[in-house]
Amino acid sequence: MAYEAGQIESKYYKIWEERGHFETDANADIANGKSFCIMMPPPNVTGVLHIGHALTFTLQDIMTRYKRMDGYKTLWQPGLDHAGIATQNVVEKQLLAQGIKKEELGREKFLERVWEWKEKSGGQIVYQMRRLGISPAWSRERFTMDEGLKNAVREAFCNLYEAGLIVRGNYMVNWCTHDGALSDVEVEHKANKGKLYHLRYFLCENSSSNHNQIGGEADLGVAQNFAGAVNNYEQNSSSAKDASKRPYIVVATTRPETYFGDTAVMVNPNDERYKDLIGKFVELPLLGRKIKIIADEHVDMSFGTGVVKVTPAHDTNDYEVGNRHNLEFITIFDEKGILNEHCGEFKGLERLEARDKIAGKLESKGFVEKIEDYENQVGYCYRCKNVVEPYISKQWFVKSEIAKDAIERVNKGQSEFYPSHWINSFNAWMRELKDWCISRQLWWGHQIPVFYCECGHEWADRCEKPSKCPKCGGNNFIQDPDVLDTWFSSGLWPISTLGWGNGTALKGSKWFDTDLKEFYPNSMLITGFDILFFWVARMMFQSSQAVGELPFKDIYLHALVKDKDGKKMSKSSGNVVDPLEKIDEFSADILRFTLTMLCVQGRDIRMSDEAMVISRNFTNKIYNASRFLLMNASSFANLEQSEVKTPLGAYLLSRFNACVAEVRKNIDEYRFNDAASAIYRFLWNEFCDWGIELSKADKSAVAELGSIFKESMKLLHPFMPFISEHLWHEMSGTSLESGAKSVMIMRYPVAGKQNESIEKLFNLVIESIVSIRRAKAVVDLGNAKIAKAFLRGDTDLSEFSHFIKLLAKCENVEFINEIKAGCVRDVSQNVESFIELAGIDTAPILKRLNAQKTKLEKEIAKLENMLNNEKFVANAPESVLKTNQESLATAKDKFEKVCSELRNLGEI
């Protein structure tokens, strides 16, 4: 009967969960007094499981199952994130498809719709996680907006507010005209092919007439030799009627619509071209508003014209300049990107839609020097992909000082990164951290717990709905309408899920009094490196600020999962891998094992069906091994209850112990691929390819092999939980469905001593078998049974001749001390094998080998001539040279083997 993965996986998962095997006390009978805690990165409630999630959850499940089986009181904390912007966008789009705007519903009714969507979408992603076979403590599942976590968010906010680490003010922020304020990490910068508009700003009359200061028009004309210097405008076009004959300077911008907000023009004080213009004035095109020419070392003299327009309210760098020079800040569009009264006739247009119209008007009036193609980096909202604007807005900020303690603790070694180089990225980002904008112009999320009373008092309150103003005692107050950045609540995840700040909400069901003591700091974190700054860093400084200790001892950051060609997966590229489709096609075990085998620390993972097939072949291999063993016995004892007496059993037990030691070491060092590879090598190569085959010559060892195989299923369990559970029970004659104890709460294998002497003997047995097989292959008897083979070596293997005879297909093996004449001979490292040539027609064999020898001689000569040709070597691409060098090495290796076979036949 074939192994039906789909049926087994759905059936076993349900049993595990119903029996409470994922909970913290599941392994009470093997408890060792230690605890292990790991936090699930809470997936967005709007999302679906993608291949990156599958990798993260697989690695977390490996660690959780490993620790659970090792006797640790284990908490893998599951949950979902409310994902403010993403979720609100999804629900808004659904309403718009029905012709409904959220404003028509109002905040309360809209939030009811969002909660409905949350229940539907959240249930789907949790179903997908279960399909992967992961084992978090589902009874403790949290949501970043459940009652307990809402309390924790208010507690954290109030603590920071009272400590002066949360402040409100008008600052330059990243602004999405759809989603509102964004933090720096929520802006995606992409290459953009746009235009660079060179605009003419004419000097004011009083500036150009003062000859003592700027030398008059004649002197200004000399400056035309310098790029960007003052120019005389020649009225020689039909558009000139709207321009002046006055001299002008040229500024360049990629956003001509922002010039309405210019309040200065800036040059470098050391720029000789413009020294005489500092302090003078220019007029803004079309508007005629005068702005001053100022000096600031921020200007790069070598870039463009060396003249820069200053728009303090709409450019990050200009914002700083505006503050330094006490410039006016003119906001030219509203929160939706609609141009205002400062933009003259363009008032009411959307900022991007207005660009071409504004440029066209400027050009028609003679204010455009030139327009050229230009490629630059443009920021986009990471959710809706809208172009992000620098925008001055009154927002709430967490001051950057909050990170100081976390930085110090990390650099004292209180947390370690795997791979270790990520500490450099952490330090670089954290040390340059800017104040974090935490207010979002949304309805879905944690509403900022700040209240404004008519008496003028402002306060933060831990109570969701305070009854009165703490200053005047009145009740005529309102709450801040904005919500907190999603990352503010998920930044508390390592402590809030353990009860910190929850009050009494959900106590005794989702968290318990001892949780913080038992599970904080969390033992480790596993997540993708791409959210190091979004999430990991925020958890580090928010948790350390709240409880005075870093949230994780170890932080493992895995690389990205890419397609087989190393390309990033995207819908537009059509190379996205849906983990559920792969589970349906292969199985959860196969997907998990493939991801683990490919997960090398610090390297991107290249996912392919070919890799999945390799894992499928592995499952078939171990399944067929179990079939063979069960053909010889109905059940097998547990290894600890089995006495290993046979040499073959002792050999495989020794190799199993070596495997256990290697697997444990690699898991402990988070080298997941090396741990999986060790199990793969043992089960495929040593147990199945040799152990099973050798047992056919010694049936008395089968019972011992069965016990070792059962124990190896426990070793495999964290990686492939379903098939390992299934085969363990089949080999035991038990049934999980009938109430037998699950492998997942049995003790994980512990490495015993290796038996070096028995390993040495069986290595020689295997070497002898391989040597005889090679000798047979030389005379085209590879799969045929022969009467006799001779073996020569330093160790007496006569006790093991039954293994050699069976697997080398020899009726008899004779052990000799001298070289045997008249034989084909194979020489390996420790043994020599001989097969008599009497009765064998070697003529066709010699003909074939000599033909191969001649062909290889020609190939070697051709490649050597090419590689000895100086002209070819000098001009050939490096890849071609490398290919030819590799081909030459391969040809020489084949040639030596053919010559060796000819020598064995006495031809050379």
Side-chain angles (χ1 to χ4, degrees), residues 150-166:
K150 283 164 69 176
N151 291 342
V153 166
R154 288 195 298 274
E155 179 70 24
F157 186 97
C158 290
N159 288 347
L160 295 173
Y161 180 90
E162 291 160 3
L165 288 171
I166 284 183

Side-chain angles (χ1 to χ4, degrees), residues 608-629:
S608 67
D609 277 358
E610 290 81 0
M612 298 282 286
V613 168
I614 290 172
S615 295
R616 182 172 64 190
N617 293 342
F618 175 63
T619 63
N620 291 338
K621 190 83 170 179
I622 60 176
Y623 182 77
N624 289 332
S626 73
R627 298 306 93 190
F628 169 80
L629 293 168

Side-chain angles (χ1 to χ4, degrees), residues 168 225 308 380 386 573 620 904:
R168 189 182 187 223
N225 295 323
V308 179
Y380 295 85
N386 186 18
S573 300
N620 291 338
N904 285 339

Side-chain angles (χ1 to χ4, degrees), residues 350-369:
E350 199 279 332
R351 73 214 149 119
L352 298 180
E353 294 173 359
R355 180 173 295 173
D356 288 345
K357 294 178 181 179
I358 294 169
K361 186 64 176 284
L362 288 170
E363 195 165 18
S364 71
K365 297 298 183 181
F367 291 109
V368 175
E369 181 85 359

Side-chain angles (χ1 to χ4, degrees), residues 785-789 801 804-806 808-813:
K785 191 167 186 177
I786 60 174
K788 193 173 188 179
S801 62
I804 300 170
K805 286 190 289 184
L806 181 68
K809 292 190 176 180
C810 304
E811 291 182 6
N812 196 13
V813 173

Side-chain angles (χ1 to χ4, degrees), residues 288-306:
R289 175 159 54 84
K290 293 180 181 181
I291 60 174
K292 194 174 184 179
I293 300 173
I294 64 172
D296 195 290
E297 291 188 349
H298 171 74
V299 179
D300 181 357
M301 292 185 289
S302 65
F303 181 77
T305 64

